[in-house]
Amino acid sequence: MNYLFGDDFIARPRRELAPGAVHVPNWLTLEQQQWIVARFKEWANGPVPIRSARVGGHEMSVKTVCLGWHWHPYQYTRNAVDVNGNRVLDFPDWMVRLGRKAIVEASGDPNAGDDYTPDTALLNYYDATARMGMHQDKDELSNAPVVSLSIGDTSTFRFGNTTNRSKPYEDITLASGDLFVFGGASRLAYHGITRIHPGTAPADCGLNAGRINITMRVTGLNDQ
Ligand code: MD6
Ligand code: FE
């Protein structure tokens, strides 16, 4: 009862922060979260093990494993050329369906997801001290929306403007099960994670410590 209709339900309403940027708290059920965490653990130990990408000689504090296409600064390839050369796992059909449902949910249009076929997902793992600096997601050729899901510890997400990394920006809480869709006029908004709040994950989400963020994207790329 508290989980369903408690303070959180009132304090964190569904909200469009800017045109095309929609936050839907508590969108995934605990059972869906658990199942995704179990898959994440398999993928993290798959053909391309989870790792911290190197950006300009520094390791990112976040660890990443990819599906469909492998992201490394600042491009997508089928093979993890900066890890072990192996091909990344295919993008699963169930995740395409989940992405379409997310677009329908965020837009309120029952047909809005029909043409949405994400072909890559980045799964980021944050420990208690990990951060993500302000950035734009601009390595995709398509301007289709990015679907973001959070599981585990709560984070502070900084949603900025499309011009630069500084103000104006707004800090919001992304908690376990939250959906955030980044599309339309907000597709190239700067954003980042300023902190993780250790010990805040719901007991039954499947993750004991840290946070997983999944972002599904449409690369606009073809093989060959
Ligand atoms: C995160 N998210 O939530 C980092 N990117 O851990 C992202 O970088 C992100 O949430 C594009 C669209 C939505 C996002
Ligand atoms: Fe991003």
Side-chain angles (χ1 to χ4, degrees), residues 5-85:
F5 304 118
D7 291 345
D8 196 56
F9 177 68
I10 298 191
R12 302 194 318 129
R14 166 203 174 88
R15 194 154 79 86
E16 187 162 25
L17 283 79
V22 181
H23 177 212
V24 184
N26 301 318
W27 187 63
L28 292 171
T29 66
L30 283 170
E31 194 177 359
Q32 289 173 325
Q33 294 172 46
Q34 287 166 12
W35 196 80
I36 292 171
V37 171
R39 299 291 80 68
F40 168 78
K41 288 175 180 169
E42 295 170 0
W43 298 332
N45 294 295
V48 182
I50 193 165
R51 59 79 171 97
S52 295
R54 291 192 79 83
V55 180
H58 295 278
E59 274 198 351
M60 292 176 72
S61 57
V62 168
K63 290 182 163 39
T64 308
V65 61
C66 305
L67 303 170
W69 291 87
H70 178 76
W71 180 84
H72 51 109
Y74 290 95
Q75 60 173 309
Y76 290 100
T77 51
R78 286 294 191 190
N79 298 328
V81 292
D82 62 331
V83 185
N84 59 7

Side-chain angles (χ1 to χ4, degrees), residues 72-145:
H72 51 109
Y74 290 95
Q75 60 173 309
Y76 290 100
T77 51
R78 286 294 191 190
N79 298 328
V81 292
D82 62 331
V83 185
N84 59 7
N86 289 341
R87 187 179 167 113
V88 296
L89 292 168
D90 289 343
F91 194 96
D93 290 343
W94 63 264
M95 202 180 275
V96 176
R97 292 193 291 273
L98 184 60
R100 288 180 179 166
K101 246 192 116 164
I103 298 294
V104 170
E105 173 69 36
S107 65
D109 173 353
N111 301 117
D114 295 357
D115 299 327
Y116 187 66
T117 307
D119 63 347
T120 188
L122 275 63
L123 293 102
N124 287 324
Y125 178 78
Y126 295 73
D127 66 15
T129 61
R131 307 273 183 274
M132 174 87 69
M134 292 293 276
H135 67 278
Q136 294 170 296
D137 287 33
K138 59 177 184 186
D139 298 327
E140 301 79 25
L141 300 177
S142 162
N143 64 1

Side-chain angles (χ1 to χ4, degrees), residues 126 135 137 146 148 157 174 182 191 193 211 213 215 217:
Y126 295 73
H135 67 278
D137 287 33
V146 178
S148 158
F157 180 76
L174 289 184
F182 246 73
H191 57 278
I193 293 288
R211 169 177 183 261
N213 175 255
T215 49
R217 304 118 187 266

Side-chain angles (χ1 to χ4, degrees), residues 168 182 216 224:
F182 246 73
M216 299 176 214
Q224 89 207 313

